[in-house]
Amino acid sequence: MPTTHTLRPVHSLDGLWNFAFLGEIDLAAFTPHAIRFPFEKVPVPSAFDALPAWAGKRGAAVYRTTFTVPPGHPAQLQFGAVSLWSRVYLDGQPLHENACGYAPFRVAVPPAARAERELLVLVDNRFDFERVPMHEHYFDFYQYGGILRSVALHVLPVASPYLEHVLVSPTDHYRAGEIELVLHFGGIKNGEARVALGFDDQPAGTAFLLPVTDGRAVTTVRVPAPRLWSPDAPALHTVRVTLHPAGAGAIVDDMAVRFGLRCIEARDGRLWLNGEMLRLRGYNRHEWHPNFGPCTPTLQMYADIQLLKDLGCNFVRGSHYQQDQRFLGLCDKLGLLVWEENLGWGQRERTFASEKFCHDHRAALEAMLLHSYNHPSVILWGFLNEAGTDADYVRPVFEASAALIRALDPRRPLTYASMFALTDRHYDLADVISLNLYPGWYNCEDHPRPLELIRPHLAACFDHIDRAGFATKPVIVSEIGAEGLYGWHDAHHDFFTEEYQAAYLSEACAAALGHPRCSGIALWHFSDARTYSGCRAMRRPRTYNNKGTFDEYRRPKLAAAAVRAAFRAEG
Ligand code: ADA
């Protein structure tokens, strides 16, 4: 884990929990005291509807476990992700609701006189715009239910402050090892905190006082023996922050975080990493495997990164939601650049008019920034894929999102993937312009040779951006692709064959990477993934999005060799 503690006890709650699928219950009438049903044992993390017993089912379910906290101690539950909607009960009392199935969240556990505590998580994977407006049935990826990511219990110090987040940013002097630390505290609002810092294997330095305003303190320091992070040499450092009591006495809390010294910039129409021009070669990737749904084992994540690197990629877009911290940690260590984005897919006016949506989106975006901040692999923040950015109703949410990102992290560029390359009205808000383009796949019914559409369309889009006044912003093709059904070949090399897909991706790579305005390409997509059920799947054979270069079991299609040739020639 990128964040560790040596003083506070941290217990993983992953393992077998009691579980019951409740189906179409009325959530308003639910009370944990009235539960009279047999529990089964189900692992946490899990997507219950990826398991054979509840595959494809929608409804409510409960997960239940117990844990112990020393009497009188406060504690905190840290959830990686619970989908789609959840309510957390502690000892029968509702404590917290969450309505973004991919955002991490924390729940304060108040001190109690007894040690054993009962934790019950009510989850619901039914779509319901009023209750869970961030998730919609029309998203082109299957949305599962359950406690999708790890759960941990942190036992906190009694009646003293503790460290909530430590955010590390390399400054302009990153080559000399200078970093800015923003410390978020629990238990001190305004006042002072005594902290000490230790880097890598070295002991902590002398404790010093920092002013705390609104629960936060900022300081700038130098990392001894600094080494730069880059995809080719992904060197990592650690800082351990120790928190001391105001007077004399032992340390009350500590937190060690891993980070990298690197600088990512969007300027002069290009992307720059550590001062060198950067071109992104990569894929969009869903966190998904047919056997586990979105709860992918670490080994599979590692294998996927190996496949990406073998194709010559330096970049992955975590489409279309916050990534698992394990995946980001692997990208840090193995040197793969990441676009980290908040959940969203094609939302239109009704969504942007919803107060609950605006609130939940903001909370999830903030959680993404706080939890994924220290990953040097993350070079772009993104949000709301393919929203209605050809219209003005998105503006307030887009402006507020950009402002929130810039307030929390002024040093990393932000972007959003637009499906309206020629009519988008909000490019001014992005540091990097990202275009989802499907010439030669969608909307080309009247063209006899659709592959010929790719090059002129890309050129027209790049040209439009410059003419619209955004020549100083880098542009990337954030999606482009075609379906190829694994094992489907025919002499016509027509739509859905592996041959058409391979030719399409070759042409897309050549058109994008051959254009002087292009700062990168993320192909759609890495591996086939389950999507819509029912009639919405008419354009999705097998109810899969089959535009993977690999099928769902990571078997390569012909496209793999085509992309490898294109990317390796660049890299
Ligand atoms: C969009 C969208 C992807 C996927 C893709 C496609 O650009 O962002 O999630 O749906 O289209 O396959 O059509």
Side-chain angles (χ1 to χ4, degrees):
M1 284 293 280
T3 302
T4 52
H5 305 267
T6 53
L7 287 174
R8 63 167 86 161
V10 176
H11 307 288
S12 168
L13 299 187
D14 293 354
L16 283 180
W17 290 32
N18 291 319
F19 175 86
F21 181 67
L22 310 179
E24 293 277 337
I25 61 155
D26 174 5
L27 288 176
F30 176 84
T31 140
H33 313 289
I35 302 178
R36 298 269 180 279
F37 38 75
F39 282 109
E40 315 201 27
K41 298 281 186 203
V42 160
V44 164
S46 59
F48 66 80
D49 45 350
L51 294 168
W54 305 282
K57 290 203 186 334
R58 295 218 173 260
V62 290
Y63 286 82
R64 195 183 72 175
T65 192
T66 56
F67 58 82
T68 57
V69 178
H73 268 267
Q76 191 181 61
L77 289 161
Q78 299 195 355
F79 289 87
V82 188
S83 194
L84 310 181
W85 173 93
S86 56
R87 186 185 292 141
V88 175
Y89 293 84
L90 187 74
D91 304 324
Q93 295 307 310
L95 281 192
H96 187 84
E97 276 188 16
N98 181 59
C100 177
Y102 292 96
F105 62 93
R106 296 177 173 184
V107 181
V109 174
R114 62 194 178 84
E116 180 156 289
R117 317 293 289 270
E118 187 203 59
L119 172 62
L120 185 143
V121 184
L122 175 66
V123 302
D124 196 325
N125 67 351
R126 285 173 291 181
F127 295 105
D128 175 347
F129 185 71
E130 298 307 317
R131 182 166 46 82
V132 56
M134 284 191 75
H135 291 263
E136 295 269 14
H137 68 285
Y138 56 74
F139 292 1
D140 185 8
F141 53 95
Y142 196 88
Q143 293 165 82
Y144 291 82
I147 301 182
L148 303 186
R149 293 179 183 161
S150 292
V151 186
L153 173 76
H154 289 226
V155 179
L156 298 175
V158 181
S160 52
Y162 62 93
L163 288 158
E164 186 73 62
H165 294 283
V166 171
L167 308 180
V168 185
S169 307
T171 70
D172 290 350
H173 308 292
Y174 65 99
R175 286 180 184 278
E178 190 180 88
I179 54 168
E180 181 193 78
L181 287 171
V182 180
L183 311 179
H184 291 219
F185 298 96
I188 331 178
K189 189 101 177 104
N190 294 302
E192 284 182 324
R194 270 186 77 214
V195 298
L197 307 174
F199 288 95
D200 301 324
D201 295 332
Q202 301 186 0
T206 319
F208 57 99
L209 278 177
L210 272 180
V212 180
T213 311
D214 257 349
R216 290 178 195 189
V218 184
T219 185
T220 300
V221 284
R222 287 213 172 187
V223 183
R227 290 182 304 151
L228 288 195
W229 185 96
S230 72
D232 293 335
L236 294 165
H237 287 283
T238 310
V239 58
R240 178 170 174 245
V241 181
T242 48
L243 180 59
H244 300 250
I251 297 167
V252 291
D253 195 18
D254 76 334
M255 186 184 286
V257 301
R258 214 165 54 205
F259 65 94
L261 293 169
R262 59 106 188 87
C263 169
I264 178 75
E265 293 166 284
R267 61 171 160 83
D268 307 327
R270 313 295 315 191
L271 277 169
W272 308 83
L273 184 72
N274 299 338
E276 284 178 24
M277 197 185 290
L278 173 68
R279 279 247 277 204
L280 303 172
R281 306 176 306 273
Y283 273 90
N284 289 269
R285 175 178 173 276
H286 272 300
E287 191 61 76
W288 191 79
H289 186 282
N291 293 348
F292 315 106
C295 305
T296 317
T298 309
L299 193 56
Q300 185 64 57
M301 294 177 176
Y302 178 84
D304 288 357
I305 293 173
Q306 233 178 32
L307 289 173
L308 287 163
K309 291 206 143 206
D310 175 58
L311 294 187
C313 298
N314 61 6
F315 174 62
V316 64
R317 173 175 174 219
S319 50
H320 297 298
Y321 35 77
Q322 302 185 31
Q323 297 298 289
D324 193 306
Q325 291 296 315
R326 289 173 300 147
F327 183 71
L328 296 178
L330 286 173
C331 291
D332 291 342
K333 288 188 168 165
L334 301 171
L336 192 62
L337 303 166
V338 182
W339 163 333
E340 166 80 322
E341 86 182 11
N342 199 25
L343 178 64
W345 196 94
Q347 283 111 324
R348 295 290 181 267
E349 203 154 3
R350 173 181 86 144
T351 301
F352 287 87
S354 154
E355 264 180 42
K356 167 105 173 105
F357 169 79
C358 296
H359 169 272
D360 291 354
H361 164 74
R362 189 182 170 85
L365 195 61
E366 186 167 4
M368 176 175 92
L369 270 285
L370 292 175
H371 286 87
S372 300
Y373 199 96
N374 294 326
H375 295 286
S377 57
V378 174
I379 53 154
L380 278 173
W381 298 120
F383 55 87
L384 293 172
N385 172 63
E386 294 196 346
T389 51
D390 59 339
D392 287 339
Y393 59 79
V394 302
R395 187 82 189 175
V397 171
F398 270 57
E399 270 178 355
S401 302
L404 176 68
I405 293 174
R406 292 198 174 105
L408 289 171
D409 185 1
R411 293 187 177 87
R412 210 164 341 207
L414 69 88
T415 191
Y416 62 87
S418 172
M419 65 177 289
F420 297 106
L422 300 172
T423 50
D424 196 287
R425 298 171 65 81
H426 309 285
Y427 288 146
D428 59 304
L429 295 175
D431 300 313
V432 175
I433 294 181
S434 301
L435 308 176
N436 289 0
L437 307 170
Y438 288 86
W441 183 255
Y442 293 123
N443 308 319
C444 53
E445 285 78 358
D446 298 328
H447 201 286
R449 290 178 301 281
L451 284 180
E452 292 177 3
L453 294 171
I454 297 175
R455 218 171 272 251
H457 187 67
L458 264 60
C461 294
F462 290 127
D463 193 42
H464 166 76
I465 284 158
D466 288 358
R467 276 187 292 107
F470 302 109
T472 57
K473 299 197 185 222
V475 187
I476 64 180
V477 176
S478 40
E479 287 186 29
I480 189 161
E483 305 239 341
L485 297 173
Y486 180 77
W488 184 246
H489 304 274
D490 84 13
H492 291 234
H493 293 185
D494 213 331
F495 271 39
F496 292 105
T497 61
E498 287 196 30
E499 286 81 3
Y500 185 79
Q501 186 194 32
Y504 185 101
L505 293 183
S506 279
E507 180 63 6
C509 291
L513 297 174
H515 197 286
R517 270 298 269 129
C518 179
S519 285
I521 184 167
L523 300 171
W524 184 266
H525 60 158
F526 170 68
S527 59
D528 292 347
R530 181 176 283 283
T531 182
Y532 311 116
S533 47
C535 196
R536 274 201 156 260
M538 285 300 274
R539 287 211 284 192
R540 296 285 180 267
R542 312 186 301 139
T543 68
Y544 275 57
N545 188 311
N546 296 290
K547 296 187 189 75
T549 286
F550 298 89
D551 81 347
E552 61 273 30
Y553 294 104
R554 281 53 171 179
R555 295 178 294 190
K557 303 179 193 171
L558 288 179
V563 173
R564 187 182 292 111
F567 281 179
R568 289 238 174 141
E570 261 273 311

